[in-house]
């Protein structure tokens, strides 16, 4: 795992952070950056272990959690609160991609396929938010910031390609909830932001079927003309945590890439 630029060691000492999907890819880079900054970090991921770089952190909880299941998420946030106190940083990185056409030679896409993507990407994001926010609100003192929530959307929310209907719908929902939640939670001192990454080198993209992987990585942004790196995503997440005026917005992190309908 490459070092995240601009992270000040100890900057977040005493803060409690939760990262869903933090065992690999974008989430693992965020976990490493938060740990370097001194935060206590809980990783919510189903049965996975975080990278060695992140695991070296002294204050790290690895919780076997299915974000699409209410009981699993409730238990995880309860365990975090008992161990360290209330959460003040939530970064939602859990997500799956299941490319596939709605109309197929053997019939329509099974509804269960579409639903599973929404359950993890969209409902899983909301599930974590609704368990984190009460902790933030109850721990607030005076007019200080109570917490920050960062959702991981995707440029597929805005220019999804053929075969991405389920993924684009889920990420469109993730992006769409940012502003209304920022408006709702602002009175409690909670900021809500979103990041919409382009093509990044992560297990989710690298493990796609060969044809889908070829299509995804064939697109090149104007500059830099390459896929993004997880530590670049983590650097933006840390900047959002640090800057109190970033609120209610989804930031595209894609080097200027606009995906065509098909390649």
């Amino acid at each position: 795992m490459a070092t995240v630029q601009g992270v000040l060691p100890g900057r977040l000492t005493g803060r409690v952070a939760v990262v869903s999907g933090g065992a690999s890819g974008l989430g693992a880079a965020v976990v490493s950056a938060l740990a370097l900054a001194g935060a206590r970090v809980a990783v919510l991921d189903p049965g996975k272990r975080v990278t060695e770089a992140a695991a070296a952190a002294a204050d790290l909880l690895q919780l076997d959690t299915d974000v699409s299941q209410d009981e699993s998420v409730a238990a995880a946030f309860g365990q975090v609160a008992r161990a360290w106190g209330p959460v003040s940083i939530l970064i939602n990185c859990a997500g799956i991609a299941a490319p596939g056409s709605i109309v197929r030679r053997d019939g329509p896409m099974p509804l269960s396929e579409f639903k599973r993507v929404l359950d993890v990407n969209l409902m899983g994001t909301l599930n974590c938010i609704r368990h984190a926010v009460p902790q933030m609100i109850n721990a607030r003192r005076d007019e200080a910031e109570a917490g920050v929530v960062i959702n991981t959307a995707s440029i597929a929310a805005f220019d999804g390609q053929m075969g991405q209907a389920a993924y684009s719908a889920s990420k469109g929902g993730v992006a769409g909830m940012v502003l209304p939640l920022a408006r709702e939670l602002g009175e409690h001192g909670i900021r809500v932001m979103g990041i919409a990454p382009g093509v990044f080198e992560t297990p989710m993209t690298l493990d796609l079927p060969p044809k889908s992987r070829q299509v995804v990585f064939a697109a090149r942004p104007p500059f830099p003309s390459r896929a993004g790196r997880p530590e670049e995503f983590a650097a933006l997440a840390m900047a959002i945590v640090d800057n109190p005026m970033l609120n209610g917005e989804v930031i595209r992190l894609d080097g200027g890439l606009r995906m065509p309908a098909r390649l």
Side-chain angles (χ1 to χ4, degrees):
M1 178 67 65
T3 302
V4 176
Q5 297 296 320
V7 175
L8 182 64
R11 163 72 177 79
L12 299 178
T13 297
R15 300 282 295 273
V16 177
V18 170
V19 181
S20 71
S24 63
L26 303 179
V30 169
V31 169
S32 294
L34 288 166
L36 177 60
R40 292 173 168 173
V41 189
V43 177
L44 311 189
D45 226 315
K48 297 179 182 177
R49 311 302 291 176
V50 299
T51 61
E52 290 184 6
D59 291 322
L60 182 74
L61 279 178
Q62 301 184 73
L63 304 176
D64 186 351
T65 308
D66 181 348
V67 296
S68 70
Q69 299 299 313
D70 183 27
E71 296 82 1
S72 183
V73 173
F77 276 89
Q79 188 170 342
V80 173
R82 289 190 296 273
W84 293 330
V87 172
S88 66
I89 300 169
L90 170 64
I91 304 181
N92 288 302
C93 294
I96 59 174
S101 301
I102 297 297
V103 179
R104 306 173 183 181
R105 292 181 180 178
D106 58 349
M109 169 190 280
L111 191 59
S112 59
E113 277 188 30
F114 199 100
K115 185 176 183 297
R116 177 58 181 162
V117 176
L118 264 65
D119 282 347
V120 174
N121 296 359
L122 179 55
M123 300 304 292
T125 295
L126 179 62
N127 204 7
C128 290
I129 292 171
R130 70 193 194 89
H131 284 288
V133 163
Q135 292 189 20
M136 296 176 180
I137 292 174
N138 292 335
R140 190 185 189 194
R141 296 294 179 267
D142 301 321
E143 298 299 312
E145 179 176 292
V148 58
V149 175
I150 302 174
N151 290 345
T152 302
S154 167
I155 62 170
F158 313 110
D159 37 75
Q161 296 182 291
M162 293 174 62
Q164 286 188 328
Y167 186 71
S168 294
S170 69
K171 291 301 186 176
V174 169
M177 73 169 72
V178 167
L179 181 57
L181 285 177
R183 287 171 164 170
E184 176 185 344
L185 300 175
E187 66 177 284
H188 301 293
I190 298 170
R191 294 186 290 121
V192 183
M193 284 288 293
I195 301 175
V199 178
F200 273 67
E201 294 178 347
T202 67
M204 187 172 74
T205 52
L206 295 173
D207 292 344
L208 287 169
K211 183 177 180 180
S212 298
R213 186 171 63 248
Q214 181 180 2
V215 168
V216 167
F217 282 100
R220 285 285 183 254
F223 186 83
S225 186
R226 59 168 173 79
R229 297 165 182 150
E231 62 268 20
E232 293 167 332
F233 177 92
L236 178 55
M238 297 300 289
I240 291 171
V241 170
D242 286 340
N243 194 325
M245 284 302 292
L246 288 173
N247 193 17
E249 183 60 89
V250 179
I251 302 173
R252 289 184 69 127
L253 186 66
D254 58 13
L257 178 64
R258 297 298 183 268
M259 299 293 282
R262 66 190 303 172
L263 291 173

Coordinates of all heavy atoms in Angstrom, one line a residue, residues 146-177:
A146 N -20.1 17.5 14.8 CA -20.4 16.2 15.4 C -19.8 15.0 14.7 O -19.5 14.0 15.2 CB -21.9 16.0 15.6
G147 N -19.7 15.2 13.4 CA -19.2 14.1 12.6 C -19.2 14.4 11.1 O -19.8 15.4 10.6
V148 N -18.6 13.5 10.3 CA -18.6 13.6 8.9 C -18.9 12.2 8.3 O -18.4 11.2 8.7 CB -17.3 14.2 8.3 CG1 -16.1 13.4 8.8 CG2 -17.3 14.4 6.8
V149 N -19.7 12.2 7.2 CA -20.0 11.0 6.5 C -19.6 11.2 5.1 O -19.9 12.2 4.4 CB -21.6 10.7 6.5 CG1 -21.9 9.5 5.7 CG2 -22.0 10.5 8.0
I150 N -18.9 10.2 4.5 CA -18.4 10.2 3.1 C -18.9 9.0 2.5 O -18.6 7.8 2.9 CB -16.9 10.3 3.0 CG1 -16.4 11.5 3.8 CG2 -16.5 10.3 1.6 CD1 -14.8 11.6 3.8
N151 N -19.7 9.2 1.4 CA -20.3 8.0 0.6 C -19.4 7.8 -0.6 O -19.0 8.8 -1.3 CB -21.7 8.3 0.2 CG -22.7 8.3 1.3 OD1 -22.4 7.8 2.4 ND2 -23.9 8.8 1.1
T152 N -19.2 6.6 -1.0 CA -18.5 6.3 -2.2 C -19.6 6.0 -3.3 O -20.3 5.0 -3.3 CB -17.6 5.1 -2.1 OG1 -16.7 5.4 -1.1 CG2 -16.9 4.8 -3.4
A153 N -19.7 6.9 -4.3 CA -20.6 6.7 -5.4 C -19.7 6.2 -6.5 O -18.9 5.3 -6.3 CB -21.3 8.1 -5.8
S154 N -19.9 6.7 -7.8 CA -19.1 6.3 -8.9 C -19.5 7.2 -10.1 O -20.6 7.7 -10.1 CB -19.4 4.8 -9.3 OG -18.9 4.5 -10.6
I155 N -18.6 7.3 -11.0 CA -19.0 8.1 -12.2 C -20.1 7.3 -13.0 O -20.7 7.9 -13.8 CB -17.8 8.4 -13.1 CG1 -17.1 7.2 -13.7 CG2 -16.8 9.3 -12.4 CD1 -16.1 7.4 -14.7
A156 N -20.2 6.0 -12.7 CA -21.3 5.2 -13.3 C -22.7 5.8 -12.9 O -23.7 5.5 -13.6 CB -21.2 3.8 -12.9
A157 N -22.7 6.6 -11.8 CA -24.0 7.2 -11.4 C -24.4 8.2 -12.5 O -25.6 8.5 -12.6 CB -23.8 7.8 -10.1
F158 N -23.5 8.8 -13.2 CA -23.8 9.8 -14.2 C -23.6 9.4 -15.6 O -24.3 9.9 -16.5 CB -22.9 11.0 -13.9 CG -22.8 11.4 -12.4 CD1 -21.6 11.1 -11.7 CD2 -23.9 11.9 -11.7 CE1 -21.6 11.4 -10.3 CE2 -23.8 12.2 -10.4 CZ -22.7 12.0 -9.7
D159 N -22.6 8.6 -15.9 CA -22.5 8.1 -17.3 C -22.2 6.6 -17.3 O -21.2 6.2 -17.8 CB -21.4 8.9 -18.1 CG -20.2 9.3 -17.2 OD1 -19.4 8.4 -17.0 OD2 -20.1 10.5 -16.9
G160 N -23.1 5.9 -16.8 CA -23.0 4.4 -16.8 C -23.1 3.8 -18.2 O -23.7 4.3 -19.0
Q161 N -22.3 2.7 -18.3 CA -22.3 2.0 -19.6 C -23.3 0.9 -19.7 O -23.9 0.5 -18.7 CB -20.9 1.5 -19.8 CG -19.8 2.5 -19.9 CD -18.4 2.0 -20.1 OE1 -17.9 1.3 -19.3 NE2 -17.9 2.2 -21.3
M162 N -23.5 0.4 -20.9 CA -24.4 -0.7 -21.2 C -23.9 -1.9 -20.3 O -22.7 -2.1 -20.2 CB -24.4 -1.1 -22.6 CG -25.0 0.0 -23.6 SD -24.8 -0.5 -25.3 CE -25.8 -2.0 -25.4
G163 N -24.9 -2.5 -19.7 CA -24.6 -3.6 -18.8 C -24.3 -3.2 -17.4 O -24.1 -4.1 -16.5
Q164 N -24.5 -1.9 -17.1 CA -24.2 -1.4 -15.7 C -25.5 -0.9 -15.1 O -25.4 -0.1 -14.1 CB -23.2 -0.3 -15.7 CG -21.8 -0.7 -15.9 CD -20.8 0.5 -15.7 OE1 -21.2 1.7 -16.0 NE2 -19.6 0.2 -15.3
A165 N -26.7 -1.3 -15.5 CA -27.9 -0.8 -15.0 C -28.0 -0.9 -13.5 O -28.4 0.0 -12.8 CB -29.1 -1.4 -15.7
A166 N -27.7 -2.1 -13.0 CA -27.8 -2.3 -11.5 C -26.8 -1.5 -10.8 O -27.1 -0.8 -9.8 CB -27.6 -3.8 -11.2
Y167 N -25.6 -1.5 -11.2 CA -24.5 -0.8 -10.5 C -24.8 0.7 -10.6 O -24.6 1.4 -9.6 CB -23.2 -1.1 -11.2 CG -22.0 -0.5 -10.5 CD1 -21.6 -1.0 -9.2 CD2 -21.2 0.5 -11.0 CE1 -20.5 -0.4 -8.6 CE2 -20.1 1.1 -10.4 CZ -19.7 0.6 -9.2 OH -18.7 1.1 -8.5
S168 N -25.1 1.2 -11.8 CA -25.4 2.7 -11.9 C -26.6 3.1 -11.1 O -26.6 4.2 -10.5 CB -25.6 3.0 -13.4 OG -24.5 2.8 -14.2
A169 N -27.6 2.3 -11.1 CA -28.8 2.6 -10.2 C -28.4 2.7 -8.8 O -28.8 3.6 -8.0 CB -29.9 1.6 -10.4
S170 N -27.6 1.8 -8.3 CA -27.2 1.8 -6.9 C -26.3 3.0 -6.6 O -26.5 3.7 -5.6 CB -26.4 0.5 -6.5 OG -25.2 0.4 -7.2
K171 N -25.4 3.3 -7.5 CA -24.5 4.4 -7.2 C -25.2 5.8 -7.4 O -24.8 6.8 -6.8 CB -23.2 4.3 -8.1 CG -22.3 3.2 -7.7 CD -21.9 3.3 -6.3 CE -20.8 2.2 -5.9 NZ -20.3 2.3 -4.5
G172 N -26.2 5.8 -8.3 CA -27.0 7.0 -8.5 C -27.7 7.3 -7.2 O -27.9 8.5 -6.8
G173 N -28.2 6.3 -6.5 CA -28.9 6.4 -5.2 C -27.9 6.9 -4.2 O -28.3 7.8 -3.3
V174 N -26.7 6.4 -4.1 CA -25.7 6.8 -3.2 C -25.4 8.3 -3.3 O -25.3 9.0 -2.4 CB -24.4 5.9 -3.3 CG1 -23.3 6.5 -2.5 CG2 -24.7 4.5 -2.8
A175 N -25.2 8.7 -4.6 CA -24.9 10.1 -4.9 C -26.1 11.0 -4.5 O -26.0 12.1 -4.0 CB -24.5 10.3 -6.4
G176 N -27.3 10.5 -4.9 CA -28.5 11.3 -4.7 C -28.9 11.6 -3.2 O -29.6 12.6 -3.0
M177 N -28.4 10.7 -2.3 CA -28.8 11.0 -0.9 C -27.9 12.0 -0.2 O -28.2 12.4 0.9 CB -28.8 9.6 -0.1 CG -27.4 9.0 0.1 SD -27.5 7.7 1.3 CE -28.2 6.4 0.3

